[in-house]
């Protein structure tokens, strides 16, 4: 029953409405991750003993996943570039590459967690492991959500529709990448 | 949404011919440094190396992504204000919360397991120090 | 630009035959969604009010069979007060003041046809409705609803042996989290609409104050709720997965939850206060026929309040064993925040000064807001200072202070807004006589309920106790408790008048014209009630600030924002 309202097409702030909303969304996500990471950091700084538990995390797998996310960010930004040039087909393909990155990330994560859980490091083992699984879990749910959004954007971009959405979903994806850039040293490197 | 808006949006970035693959290359090199850093830190026993390569590089990587992939600096200024404001509020949360959470006891309360764990950890560290390996571990103070 | 043909198209769409479901249930129209929020909020207010009735009866007449509920056991009592608090804040104040008023007013006042994301808007209402259903479902699980206070402090909320209802407390946290998601989505929609979709010619200083305040409130909500969402996830894991984030026996920290909760909880006070302040600003300027005094000062004050509101949260925790040095800091910031709020009250009074005041029902509510909220604010000074708070904390003094802030915000502010915009919403007037009867029948008993509670609190009556008669030194104050309960019954009885007036006027009230109050803002340009698409004669253009009443260069005493200047007309 409703077409796009005129309200959506206005741009008094000088930025397309969709992109504006994504930036506000990113702001709200900063405080969600900020809450859990701030809680984690203050605990970590107060507990010298946590470094012994953190020693059981696998830096190499963490680095591999960082690599995967950085690369998927590259394909997302290349998709944005293609969409700007009006090449919906290419943008769609590059978005699919990003989705493959997201899926790879999740698969690596699945193997990593299985390994850790079978060695007895579960979410209830200690507060360090609780934070480890909670922070990475919230992040992983964002990876999943981003992949689902990209699936729909890639589908419409292939038909040359809603090309501006390629940038918007890309912005979100880069944000998810940035969160992982901080999670990686916090959970894996700091030992 | 409209074509007009999209081209207007594209126009904003025309001036910046980003070499995205180059940026990605820098990010990967930084990643390698941040993985190697702790080994050097451990070898030379200079904790600062680990901290800088871990968190300094993370901050710089985030800056690169935000600037070059998200084009935040090319956007309207209010975008930066939104992001910076949210970050500042998080530092505020940290500043107000940490003085309580980082203590193992306060007026009328204590965290027994915490104290016990830290005491055991300190004992292990002391034993290690007596064994001659001074300064190993405990990167976090 | 492209507005004219597109409006036409929208206009045509409005004439399509729509089924009941399309028009009222799954509509994406901002006005319908606003009504959905409002009626859901009203239904929840009835439930919350009923809970208040049940536990106040128990307090006044301990052990009685409360008509409609039965015996209020201590466990019942805890569930009732917990859910009364949560419902009134999250499922009444938030949906009615922010979501309903915001949805209704933002597009109309900005002169556009809808919110920028109509489908997202519908989704946020649906999530909100789901959260309400989830909350109510907690009463029907084994162990009953959650009774550990709306602040959900661990270990009461995390350990089944204390909460007595593992599933109930989990459902409670899930419901609150869903509600946050709904308002996060809604808030982003509000902010984006206000930033991008203003009418041509409308500069930032031409935006009506209530829109500014709702938008700032949405920003405060968005920036403060994150840590609590993270905290809610941690709490769910504590409840169900065996983690120990908030369990001191297992190296966790219960005070961390209090910080995460109040980092949101205190800005939340301003999240609901600001829309009420905005509604009051609109009403007092219209009914005193005077330009809003110091528009920009109010605006900067709102921003200042918003920033300061992030620095005061730990004043809720002065007795929780927090670092005493931090208590000093939070005392200072807490007392500081009374400055901008007092300033806003003074500015509103300055607007009234010298105006030709008309005591219509909305104006009475707006004036009552100023008076009652002042009492709430002033009693807060005692509690904001850590020294005073140590004596007063968790007594009925806090409870009375809290209700003297939230009752004006959530109830008086809502009644002010509903009576003011009722002609626009339904195209008919409410009955003024019964409106005034309802006003006095609400305000007088309201003071009758809560003034005794100040005395009781100062006399040492602690909160969260189902029966005070077992304490000899408190038992003698029983007449005050009965007085408060009787006042509550009178107040609740007068709400029937409002409900009757509301629903009767909706169908049978006197027809309202476009601009019955002769106000200037853009919503009064649209027909009453506005059709789908809002402005059938084309979207308006703005030529001046929103409060040009009694302007010397203009013949009439009001000058609508969209009226072209004289030289263009000539």
């Amino acid at each position: 029953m409703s077409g796009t309202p005129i309200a959506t097409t206005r741009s008094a702030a000088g930025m397309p409405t969709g992109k504006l909303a994504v930036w506000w969304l990113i702001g709200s996500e900063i405080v969600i991750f900020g809450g859990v990471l701030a809680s984690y950091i203050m605990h970590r700084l107060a507990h010298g003993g946590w470094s012994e538990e953190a020693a059981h995390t696998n830096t190499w797998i963490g680095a591999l996943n960082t690599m995967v996310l950085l690369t998927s960010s590259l394909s997302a930004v290349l998709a944005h570039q293609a969409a700007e040039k009006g090449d919906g087909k290419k943008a769609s393909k590059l978005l699919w590459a990003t989705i493959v990155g997201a899926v790879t990330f999740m698969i690596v994560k699945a193997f990593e967690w299985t390994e850790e859980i079978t060695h007895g490091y579960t979410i209830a083992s200690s507060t360090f492991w609780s934070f480890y699984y909670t922070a990475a879990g919230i992040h992983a749910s964002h990876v999943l959500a981003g992949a689902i959004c990209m699936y729909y954007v890639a589908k419409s971009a292939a038909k040359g529709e809603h090309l501006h959405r390629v940038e918007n979903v890309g912005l979100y994806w880069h944000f998810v990448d940035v969160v992982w850039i901080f999670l990686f040293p916090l959970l894996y490197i700091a030992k | 949404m409209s074509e007009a808006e999209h081209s207007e949006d594209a126009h904003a970035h025309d001036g910046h011919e980003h070499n995205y693959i180059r940026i990605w290359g820098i990010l990967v090199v930084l990643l390698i440094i941040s993985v190697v850093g702790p080994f050097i830190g451990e070898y030379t026993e200079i904790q600062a190396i680990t901290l800088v390569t871990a968190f300094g590089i993370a901050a710089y990587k985030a800056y690169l992504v935000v600037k070059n992939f998200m084009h935040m600096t090319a956007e309207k200024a209010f975008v930066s204000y939104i992001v910076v404001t949210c970050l500042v509020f998080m530092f505020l949360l940290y500043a107000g919360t940490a003085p309580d959470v980082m203590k193992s006891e306060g007026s009328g309360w204590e965290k027994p397991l915490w104290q016990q764990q830290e005491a055991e950890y300190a004992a292990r560290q002391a034993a290690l120090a007596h064994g001659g390996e001074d300064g190993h571990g405990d990167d976090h103070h | 630009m492209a507005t004219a043909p597109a409006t036409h198209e929208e206009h045509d769409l409005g004439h399509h035959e729509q089924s009941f479901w399309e028009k009222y249930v799954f509509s994406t129209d901002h006005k319908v969604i606003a009504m959905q929020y409002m009626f859901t909020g009203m239904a929840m207010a009835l439930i919350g009010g009923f809970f208040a009735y049940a536990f106040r009866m128990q307090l006044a007449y301990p052990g009685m069979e409360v008509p409609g509920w039965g015996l209020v056991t201590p466990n019942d009592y805890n569930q009732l007060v917990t859910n009364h608090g949560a419902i009134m804040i999250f499922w009444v104040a938030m949906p009615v003041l922010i979501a309903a008023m915001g949805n209704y007013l933002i597009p109309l006042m900005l002169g556009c046809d809808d919110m920028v994301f109509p489908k997202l808007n519908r989704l946020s209402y649906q999530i909100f409705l789901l959260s309400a259903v989830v909350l109510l479902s907690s009463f029907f699980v084994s162990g009953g609803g959650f009774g550990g206070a709306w602040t959900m402090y661990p270990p009461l909320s995390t350990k089944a042996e204390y909460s007595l209802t593992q599933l109930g407390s989990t459902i409670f946290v899930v419901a609150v989290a869903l509600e946050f998601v709904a308002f996060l989505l809604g808030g982003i929609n509000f902010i984006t609409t206000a930033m991008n979709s203003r009418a041509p010619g409308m500069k930032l200083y031409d935006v009506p104050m209530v829109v500014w305040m709702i938008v700032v409130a949405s920003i405060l909500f968005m920036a403060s709720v994150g840590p609590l969402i993270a905290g809610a996830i941690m709490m769910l894991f504590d409840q169900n997965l065996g983690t120990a984030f908030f369990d001191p026996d297992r190296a966790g920290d219960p005070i961390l939850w209090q910080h995460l909760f109040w980092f949101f909880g205190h800005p939340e006070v301003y999240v609901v206060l600001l829309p009420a302040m905005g509604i009051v600003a609109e009403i007092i300027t219209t009914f005193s026929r005077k330009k809003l005094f110091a528009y920009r000062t109010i605006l900067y004050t709102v921003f200042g309040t918003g920033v300061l509101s992030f620095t005061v949260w730990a004043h809720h925790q002065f007795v929780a064993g927090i670092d005493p040095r931090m208590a000093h800091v939070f005392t200072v910031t807490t007392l500081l925040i009374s400055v901008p709020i007092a300033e806003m009250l003074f500015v509103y009074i300055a607007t009234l000064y010298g105006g030709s005041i008309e005591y219509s029902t909305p104006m009475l509510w707006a004036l009552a807001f100023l008076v009652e909220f002042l009492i709430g604010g002033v009693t807060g000074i005692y509690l904001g200072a850590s020294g005073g708070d140590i004596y007063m904390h968790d007594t009925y003094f806090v409870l009375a202070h809290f209700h003297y802030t939230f009752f004006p915000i959530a109830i008086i502010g809502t009644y002010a807004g509903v009576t003011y915009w009722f002609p626009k919403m339904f195209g008919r007037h409410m009955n003024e006589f019964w409106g005034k009867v309802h006003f006095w029948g609400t305000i007088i008993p309201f003071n009758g309920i809560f003034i005794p509670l100040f005395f009781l609190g100062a006399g040492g009556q602690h909160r969260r106790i189902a029966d005070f008669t077992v304490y000899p030194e408190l038992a003698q104050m029983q007449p005050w408790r009965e007085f408060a309960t009787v006042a509550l019954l009178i107040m609740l009885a007068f709400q029937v008048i409002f409900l009757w007036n509301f629903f009767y006027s909706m169908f049978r009230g006197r027809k309202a014209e476009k601009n019955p109050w002769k106000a200037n803002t853009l919503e009064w340009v649209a027909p009453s009630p506005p059709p789908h698409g809002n402005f059938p004669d084309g979207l308006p253009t703005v030529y001046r600030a929103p409060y040009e009443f009694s302007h010397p260069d203009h013949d009439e005493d009001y000058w609508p924002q969209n009226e072209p200047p004289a030289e263009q007309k000539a």
Side-chain angles (χ1 to χ4, degrees), chain B residues 60-122:
Chain B
Y60 187 63
K61 278 199 296 192
Y63 168 77
L64 283 180
V65 172
V66 168
K67 179 172 187 289
N68 296 298
F69 287 177
M70 298 170 87
H71 311 289
M72 189 172 91
T73 46
E75 294 289 5
K76 295 253 172 197
F78 65 77
V79 169
S80 310
Y81 298 155
I82 297 171
V83 170
V84 170
T85 307
C86 287
L87 285 173
V88 168
F89 283 151
M90 285 306 101
F91 283 111
L92 214 61
L93 170 73
Y94 188 92
T97 308
D100 296 326
V101 174
M102 288 172 71
K103 280 195 297 194
S104 63
E105 59 185 324
S107 64
W109 53 269
E110 60 174 2
K111 302 168 188 164
L113 186 69
W114 178 327
Q115 290 165 347
Q116 186 197 331
Q117 282 175 347
E118 285 307 293
E120 286 167 10
Y121 174 68

Side-chain angles (χ1 to χ4, degrees), chain C residues 232-253:
Chain C
I233 295 168
M234 285 150 75
M235 177 165 279
L236 284 173
F237 288 176
D238 265 17
Q239 286 170 339
N240 299 303
L241 295 182
T243 60
F245 291 112
F246 305 125
D247 183 356
D249 287 344
R250 293 171 56 208
D253 190 341

Side-chain angles (χ1 to χ4, degrees), chain C residues 10 54 107 124 141 151 247 291 311 336 353 377 382 384 436 514:
Chain C
E10 284 293 312
S124 52
V141 301
T151 49
D247 183 356
K291 188 170 178 158
T311 63
L336 265 183
Y353 182 76
Y382 300 93
K436 282 174 184 158
K514 256 187 188 181

Side-chain angles (χ1 to χ4, degrees), chain B residues 5 16-17 31 49 51 54-55 66 70 73 83 99 106 112 119 123 129-130:
Chain B
E5 226 170 69
H16 317 263
E17 197 40 61
L31 168 65
I49 292 180
L51 287 180
F55 295 101
V66 168
M70 298 170 87
T73 46
V83 170
H130 275 292

Side-chain angles (χ1 to χ4, degrees), chain C residues 154-359:
Chain C
L156 285 179
S157 52
T158 47
K159 289 194 171 176
E161 62 262 41
Y162 298 144
S163 71
L164 305 177
T165 170
Q166 174 152 23
L167 192 53
S169 44
T170 299
I171 290 176
F172 189 87
V173 180
V174 169
V176 173
L178 279 174
E179 201 261 5
F180 291 159
V181 172
F183 282 99
L184 213 49
L185 295 176
I188 288 173
N189 209 346
F190 289 177
I191 299 165
T192 316
T193 307
M195 282 181 79
N196 249 358
S197 305
R198 300 190 300 276
M202 187 182 262
K203 298 187 197 69
L204 284 175
Y205 291 121
D206 299 335
V207 174
M209 196 46 78
V210 66
V211 174
W212 262 120
M213 296 227 188
I214 291 174
V215 167
V216 173
S218 302
I219 296 174
L220 292 186
F221 181 80
M222 187 214 82
S224 65
V225 78
L228 185 54
I229 292 181
I233 295 168
M234 285 150 75
M235 177 165 279
L236 284 173
F237 288 176
D238 265 17
Q239 286 170 339
N240 299 303
L241 295 182
T243 60
F245 291 112
F246 305 125
D247 183 356
D249 287 344
R250 293 171 56 208
D253 190 341
I255 295 181
L256 174 62
W257 167 264
Q258 299 183 12
H259 279 293
L260 295 175
F261 184 88
W262 288 116
F263 184 80
F264 160 78
H266 205 82
E268 165 73 8
V269 173
Y270 298 91
V271 168
V272 289
L273 167 65
L274 290 179
M277 288 289 247
I279 290 167
V280 169
E282 301 293 327
I283 292 172
I284 58 172
T285 179
T286 302
F287 288 109
S288 52
R289 314 309 295 168
K290 245 186 99 192
K291 188 170 178 158
L292 186 65
F293 187 83
Y295 176 98
R296 291 189 185 199
T297 305
I298 298 178
L299 197 52
Y300 301 147
T301 309
V302 169
F303 294 146
T305 311
V307 172
L308 265 180
S309 73
F310 280 87
T311 63
V312 301
W313 79 87
H315 65 218
H316 296 271
Q317 302 161 250
F318 283 150
V319 300
I322 63 168
D323 193 323
R325 292 164 301 174
M326 298 307 287
H328 288 310
V329 175
F330 282 104
T331 298
V332 173
T333 53
T334 303
L335 298 187
L336 265 183
I337 203 167
S338 57
V339 175
I341 297 297
E343 185 186 325
M344 285 207 293
L345 289 181
F346 282 130
V347 168
Y348 285 6
I349 293 167
T351 306
L352 294 167
Y353 182 76
S356 40
I357 295 172
E358 185 199 337
Y359 291 105

